[in-house]
Amino acid sequence: MKNVFLLFSVILMLFACNSSKETAAAKNEDIEIKKGDTIKISRDNIEYDVIIIEPGFGTYLSSIAKPKGFYTQNYLETRNIRYVQEWNRRVLQPRQYNTNLYEMQINYSQGVNYGYDVNYKMYNYFVYFQNRYKQNLLGTRVPQN
């Protein structure tokens, strides 16, 4: 539960500091997987990093999740916007939803091009989160990947 808080604390801070710059090609991208299933996404030409700290997520991403290129960036952005809206709604209703799962709002701006990799990892985290914690953010079938 603390890992979920750390993850979204970092995402919230990083997206709050986002730049209006369009992201360039993925060749400037630096992705590293560290001990403890920490995944960091950063690029030289943008002003944010995304760090996902969640036990098991690195393994899920490398072995269970659909491969990169399976989804279009537009699909991922559309789903992430809906997931973030529902996530933030749940944060604002602490009596109805577990505050250990939904601790902080996520600042994910529609219209900002975060790039394929950020959207891919964020989407897969939402899928992982829903399956791991038995949550259903959109009220539809939760992707099993």
Side-chain angles (χ1 to χ4, degrees):
M1 301 301 168
K2 290 181 182 179
N3 292 330
V4 173
F5 172 72
L6 288 173
L7 162 75
F8 285 105
S9 297
V10 172
I11 288 175
L12 178 67
M13 289 186 320
L14 298 174
F15 281 122
C17 299
N18 71 34
S19 170
S20 61
K21 298 177 188 176
E22 294 265 334
T23 58
K27 65 181 180 181
N28 292 331
E29 198 169 274
D30 176 28
I31 302 172
E32 59 184 79
I33 299 177
K34 297 180 182 177
K35 186 177 179 182
D37 281 329
T38 300
I39 296 175
K40 179 179 179 184
I41 308 161
S42 65
R43 294 185 179 154
D44 297 333
N45 60 338
I46 55 177
E47 297 178 10
Y48 65 86
D49 291 332
V50 177
I51 301 172
I52 300 173
I53 304 169
E54 178 73 32
F57 180 63
T59 303
Y60 168 83
L61 195 59
S62 64
S63 63
I64 299 171
K66 301 276 192 240
K68 287 183 182 179
F70 185 84
Y71 303 107
T72 65
Q73 183 168 337
N74 185 50
Y75 175 84
L76 296 172
E77 289 171 347
T78 301
R79 297 299 284 196
N80 285 340
I81 288 166
R82 292 184 62 210
Y83 282 138
V84 167
Q85 288 172 342
E86 178 59 22
W87 180 277
N88 289 341
R89 187 183 72 75
R90 292 179 183 207
V91 168
L92 297 173
Q93 297 179 359
R95 291 185 180 160
Q96 187 173 357
Y97 296 100
N98 185 341
T99 57
N100 291 324
L101 293 177
Y102 304 101
E103 295 181 5
M104 295 185 70
Q105 289 190 1
I106 302 170
N107 185 4
Y108 179 85
S109 300
Q110 186 172 358
V112 174
N113 182 1
Y114 294 107
Y116 186 86
D117 203 51
V118 170
N119 282 291
Y120 172 79
K121 287 187 172 72
M122 194 167 171
Y123 169 79
N124 278 295
Y125 179 75
F126 282 123
V127 171
Y128 174 79
F129 170 83
Q130 291 177 95
N131 286 305
R132 178 175 175 138
Y133 297 108
K134 309 293 186 238
Q135 301 293 302
N136 189 333
L137 292 172
L138 301 180
T140 59
R141 183 185 68 80
V142 175
Q144 296 300 311
N145 260 344

